Amino acid sequence: MSSKISDVARLARVSLPTVSRVLNKSKYVSEELKKRVLNAVAVLNYVPDDNARSLSSYKSNTVGIIVPVLNNSISRFINSCSTTLEESGYDLMIGKSGGEIKNELELIDLQLSMQVSGVILVSSHHSTKTAEILIKEKLPVVFAYNKAPVSGVHSRYFDNNKAASTLIASIPDIDSKNVYILSGLSDDTICNIRIEGFLKILENHNNYKIFQCDGTLEDGYKAAKNILNAEKPDILICLNDLIAIGALRAAYETGIKVPDEMEVTGFEGTSFFQISTPTLTTVIFDDYLLGRESADSIVSLIKGNEEKELEIFGYKILQAESCRLSI
Amino acid sequence: MSSKISDVARLARVSLPTVSRVLNKSKYVSEELKKRVLNAVAVLNYVPDDNARSLSSYKSNTVGIIVPVLNNSISRFINSCSTTLEESGYDLMIGKSGGEIKNELELIDLQLSMQVSGVILVSSHHSTKTAEILIKEKLPVVFAYNKAPVSGVHSRYFDNNKAASTLIASIPDIDSKNVYILSGLSDDTICNIRIEGFLKILENHNNYKIFQCDGTLEDGYKAAKNILNAEKPDILICLNDLIAIGALRAAYETGIKVPDEMEVTGFEGTSFFQISTPTLTTVIFDDYLLGRESADSIVSLIKGNEEKELEIFGYKILQAESCRLSI
DNA sequence: ATGAAAGCGCTAACAA
DNA sequence: TTGTTAGCGCTTTCAT
């Protein structure tokens, strides 16, 4: 069926290693032979077998990415990783953990068995166990979207803490407002970091409350509805855009005018901010940037270069109709 | 570093093939030996090398997916494929072509060299060349989102034609309205199929015009703005939701009230419909369903089962504020 | 039911 | 510069 390196060698009247050398540009081969080899490759439509190649060379050109789920923001991230990795000649193997450590560990086994050259791990809650396994394997790895749970591992993420502080600090008169925070799940590290950031500014503020939902649009809507039926926040700080969009709908249905009667803010997660009514004041992170940087780092690590262990990326606060800011 | 099958064999005091047989459940092995092998595997933390396995067995447990880009709808699709494939024990290798045939062909070579067991190809414009190559390789392949350009190849897609006809047919009084159609790029097969569907109903209608944009929110906005500055449509039929959202914004800025002064419809592409103001009347496709079905088909084909060459999936018309329907 | 031996397609080490 | 040889880790005959 498909031809192999020996077929090419025979047709080009050279030895196997010569074919290999031409294809991998690993050693100098005379122009004459090189031409014969390339010609034979073209004639036979030869495609090297990556499995055999990886097996004998202990190298693979595959990078694994493990994500909890393929949402909007992670899709942008992967898109960007993919572009960068392709430029460097790497393929992408994607695993979806559903956010469960058990699956994450299985996926790592899977990718280890594929001899991936490196792994980019996306999680809102990086597991120590995962990190330890990866370290033990001495596999190049980049933790994205969140800081690695142990040191000595490379992390690339956004400065959620500072973003949260800055957002709160730019809300005029925050001290005189009763503040409601609507968070995602309590085991979501990123949510917790954002809350920490909020509280840094709110520490002398004695009129705030924190509520929880599961972080989806639907549950954000439900939770907000419950809150608004019982209480009267001046401002509702939502831990992501989906929650915020749900809250906007809840406010609308409850007859509460945003921002006049209540302000609402979101936080990165989608790009819905520009479409909602009112448009959503939120924090924007550049997933493409993070993807590119993470991919660059993993490539660099694979090649054995030194890389900064931590890189933390900035944010942009987008002022829109749902909450006026003083910036 | 990592242990191999010979280590396991030694520790379990059995031969290599026995380990292989236990791990692959390929032949009967006595309980006694099986227990020893599994124990050794656990002790050594043994993970089989997939490359070696594929090399010697001519099988791989990897399925390739090639997509033009990772947008919202395709992410849902991949998410769903991924879940289904994982259940059947397959890994996923994802390539992004950027919509270019050249890249698509390169990615196929890449995946061929990885010995993928099958390929799911997503495109809004499937190339004959790609199809021919895949056929020649005798690789199981499923074309998704669009009909394969040649027969004898499996396709799984939505009935865009009928969806378009039904949408138009449900608009009250369409015959007496001047209809503007705002399409995506002219080489997007899916757009063209939708237009065909529209025109089936509009064939005796002599008051419609077709415009084009590049299919993005931004360009939809620009194109709609141009149209609305010069003309006065009764209804603006947008070929996808992004265009429609752009058009809604253009209408808003131009001071045209939707739906009172002009109606707007979208078409699958995002799930923004529920957030816009006004909410968007549109056609919904179930990307999860398509993902599951495509993945099921490829698994089935890999196993050598017969599969229906064509499966065409339905749609749901969602009536919302931007255009009242008679359904 | 189990083991010994051969070989998958390629690259790396060595030799010429 | 090129070729010969061995071996990557596994599965698959074929014996036993």
Side-chain angles (χ1 to χ4, degrees):
Chain A
M1 197 160 102
S2 62
S3 47
K4 26 196 187 175
I5 199 169
S6 55
D7 300 323
V8 176
R10 195 176 325 117
L11 184 60
R13 286 168 290 129
V14 299
S15 68
L16 304 193
T18 300
V19 177
S20 174
R21 289 191 270 254
V22 171
L23 262 36
N24 298 310
K25 302 179 174 59
S26 53
K27 280 199 173 171
Y28 188 81
V29 176
S30 68
E31 284 305 319
E32 164 64 16
L33 291 199
K34 193 187 288 181
K35 199 180 292 175
R36 293 218 304 257
V37 168
L38 292 176
N39 182 52
V41 166
V43 169
L44 294 173
N45 221 302
Y46 168 71
V47 180
D49 182 321
D50 246 36
N51 294 117
R53 176 179 279 177
S54 301
L55 180 58
S56 70
S57 69
Y58 282 109
K59 281 179 223 150
S60 89
N61 51 352
T62 306
V63 168
I65 298 196
I66 296 177
V67 301
V69 64
L70 270 175
N71 62 22
N72 246 304
S73 136
I74 294 181
S75 296
R76 282 195 294 269
F77 175 82
I78 294 183
N79 234 322
S80 174
C81 287
S82 153
T83 305
T84 305
L85 289 173
E86 261 165 43
E87 283 166 7
S88 306
Y90 288 94
D91 308 329
L92 204 53
M93 164 138 276
I94 298 190
K96 190 167 59 85
S97 70
E100 312 229 354
I101 305 292
K102 186 174 143 287
N103 293 340
E104 197 171 278
L105 294 174
E106 273 178 21
L107 285 169
I108 287 177
D109 264 6
L110 220 53
Q111 303 201 337
L112 283 177
S113 74
M114 298 286 302
Q115 310 294 111
V116 293
S117 306
V119 170
I120 298 176
L121 211 76
V122 174
S123 171
S124 63
H125 178 66
H126 286 308
S127 117
T128 308
K129 194 159 173 196
T130 307
E132 281 166 354
I133 289 183
L134 288 168
I135 291 175
K136 213 180 61 191
E137 293 288 341
K138 299 214 167 87
L139 197 67
V141 53
V142 170
F143 281 76
Y145 280 93
N146 220 328
K147 191 173 172 176
V150 297
S151 72
V153 187
H154 294 77
S155 308
R156 301 288 178 269
Y157 55 97
F158 296 115
D159 195 342
N160 277 282
N161 187 297
K162 187 152 166 237
S165 299
T166 312
L167 176 65
I168 289 274
S170 346
I171 297 169
D173 267 342
I174 187 79
D175 289 336
S176 65
K177 292 175 176 167
N178 65 337
V179 177
Y180 282 62
I181 296 177
L182 185 43
S183 171
L185 293 173
S186 62
D187 65 349
D188 183 322
T189 315
I190 291 186
C191 275
N192 295 334
I193 292 175
R194 289 176 187 168
I195 289 179
E196 268 178 39
F198 294 147
L199 298 188
K200 226 159 47 182
I201 304 296
L202 294 177
E203 60 184 352
N204 296 318
H205 190 292
N206 50 21
N207 200 5
Y208 69 83
K209 289 185 189 170
I210 301 184
F211 292 79
Q212 257 175 37
C213 66
D214 70 9
T216 60
L217 199 154
E218 288 70 25
D219 208 49
Y221 162 79
K222 274 189 216 154
K225 198 107 188 203
N226 283 338
I227 295 174
L228 296 182
N229 280 335
E231 326 215 12
K232 181 99 193 51
D234 292 324
I235 178 163
L236 189 54
I237 309 273
C238 301
L239 265 283
N240 72 41
D241 279 8
L242 287 176
I243 299 176
I245 296 289
L248 286 179
R249 197 194 296 176
Y252 176 76
E253 290 182 8
T254 318
I256 297 175
K257 292 224 162 45
V258 177
D260 297 341
E261 301 171 25
M262 176 180 77
E263 296 172 309
V264 172
T265 64
F267 222 106
E268 192 269 356
T270 68
S271 29
F272 293 160
F273 52 82
Q274 48 186 348
I275 321 174
S276 62
T277 307
T279 52
L280 185 63
T281 293
T282 189
V283 175
I284 301 180
F285 294 124
D286 187 344
D287 296 304
Y288 289 104
L289 171 69
L290 192 66
R292 198 165 53 242
E293 294 287 339
S294 303
D296 277 340
S297 300
I298 200 74
V299 168
S300 187
L301 288 171
I302 291 171
K303 292 187 174 151
N305 299 338
E306 285 293 317
E307 276 285 301
K308 271 195 274 185
E309 184 168 323
L310 245 57
E311 291 221 52
I312 305 174
F313 298 95
Y315 51 88
K316 219 167 77 186
I317 294 199
L318 185 116
Q319 180 181 177
E321 296 163 354
S322 72
C323 179
R324 204 65 42 80
L325 301 178
S326 56
I327 35 174
Chain B
M1 198 160 99
S2 61
S3 48
K4 25 195 188 177
I5 199 169
S6 55
D7 300 324
V8 176
R10 194 176 325 117
L11 183 61
R13 288 167 289 127
V14 298
S15 67
L16 305 192
T18 299
V19 177
S20 173
R21 289 192 270 254
V22 171
L23 262 37
N24 298 308
K25 304 177 173 62
S26 54
K27 277 198 175 173
Y28 187 80
V29 176
S30 66
E31 282 306 319
E32 164 65 15
L33 292 199
K34 194 186 289 182
K35 200 179 290 174
R36 295 219 304 261
V37 167
L38 292 176
N39 183 53
V41 165
V43 169
L44 295 173
N45 221 303
Y46 168 70
V47 180
D49 182 322
D50 245 35
N51 293 121
R53 178 177 277 179
S54 301
L55 180 58
S56 68
S57 70
Y58 282 110
K59 282 178 221 153
S60 91
N61 52 352
T62 306
V63 168
I65 298 196
I66 296 177
V67 300
V69 64
L70 270 174
N71 61 23
N72 245 303
S73 132
I74 294 181
S75 296
R76 282 195 295 268
F77 175 82
I78 294 183
N79 233 322
S80 173
C81 286
S82 155
T83 305
T84 305
L85 289 173
E86 260 165 42
E87 284 166 7
S88 307
Y90 287 94
D91 309 329
L92 205 52
M93 163 137 278
I94 298 190
K96 190 166 60 81
S97 69
E100 312 229 354
I101 306 293
K102 185 174 145 286
N103 293 340
E104 198 172 279
L105 294 174
E106 272 177 21
L107 285 168
I108 288 177
D109 263 8
L110 221 53
Q111 304 203 335
L112 282 177
S113 74
M114 299 286 301
Q115 310 294 112
V116 294
S117 305
V119 170
I120 297 175
L121 210 77
V122 175
S123 171
S124 63
H125 179 67
H126 285 309
S127 116
T128 308
K129 195 161 172 192
T130 307
E132 281 167 354
I133 288 182
L134 288 167
I135 291 175
K136 212 179 64 189
E137 293 290 339
K138 297 215 168 86
L139 197 67
V141 53
V142 170
F143 282 75
Y145 279 96
N146 220 326
K147 193 174 173 177
V150 297
S151 71
V153 186
H154 295 76
S155 309
R156 301 287 179 268
Y157 55 96
F158 296 116
D159 196 341
N160 276 283
N161 187 294
K162 188 152 166 233
S165 299
T166 312
L167 176 64
I168 289 274
S170 348
I171 297 168
D173 265 343
I174 186 79
D175 289 334
S176 64
K177 292 173 179 169
N178 64 337
V179 177
Y180 282 61
I181 297 177
L182 186 43
S183 172
L185 293 174
S186 61
D187 65 349
D188 183 321
T189 313
I190 291 186
C191 275
N192 294 333
I193 292 176
R194 289 175 188 167
I195 290 180
E196 266 177 42
F198 293 148
L199 298 189
K200 227 161 45 183
I201 305 296
L202 294 177
E203 59 184 353
N204 297 318
H205 191 290
N206 49 21
N207 200 3
Y208 70 82
K209 289 186 191 171
I210 302 183
F211 292 79
Q212 257 177 36
C213 66
D214 71 8
T216 61
L217 199 156
E218 289 70 25
D219 208 49
Y221 163 78
K222 274 189 217 154
K225 198 109 187 200
N226 283 338
I227 294 174
L228 297 182
N229 280 335
E231 327 215 10
K232 183 98 194 46
D234 292 323
I235 178 162
L236 189 54
I237 309 274
C238 301
L239 266 282
N240 71 41
D241 279 8
L242 287 176
I243 299 176
I245 297 290
L248 285 179
R249 196 195 293 175
Y252 176 76
E253 291 182 7
T254 318
I256 297 175
K257 294 223 163 44
V258 177
D260 298 341
E261 299 170 26
M262 176 179 77
E263 297 172 308
V264 173
T265 64
F267 223 106
E268 193 268 356
T270 68
S271 30
F272 293 161
F273 51 81
Q274 49 187 349
I275 320 173
S276 62
T277 309
T279 52
L280 185 62
T281 294
T282 189
V283 175
I284 301 180
F285 294 124
D286 187 343
D287 296 304
Y288 290 104
L289 171 68
L290 193 66
R292 197 164 56 242
E293 293 287 339
S294 303
D296 276 341
S297 300
I298 200 75
V299 168
S300 186
L301 288 172
I302 290 171
K303 292 188 176 153
N305 300 339
E306 284 293 319
E307 274 286 300
K308 268 196 273 182
E309 183 167 324
L310 245 56
E311 292 222 50
I312 304 175
F313 298 96
Y315 51 89
K316 216 166 82 186
I317 294 199
L318 186 117
Q319 181 180 177
E321 296 163 355
S322 73
C323 178
R324 204 66 43 80
L325 299 178
S326 57
I327 35 174

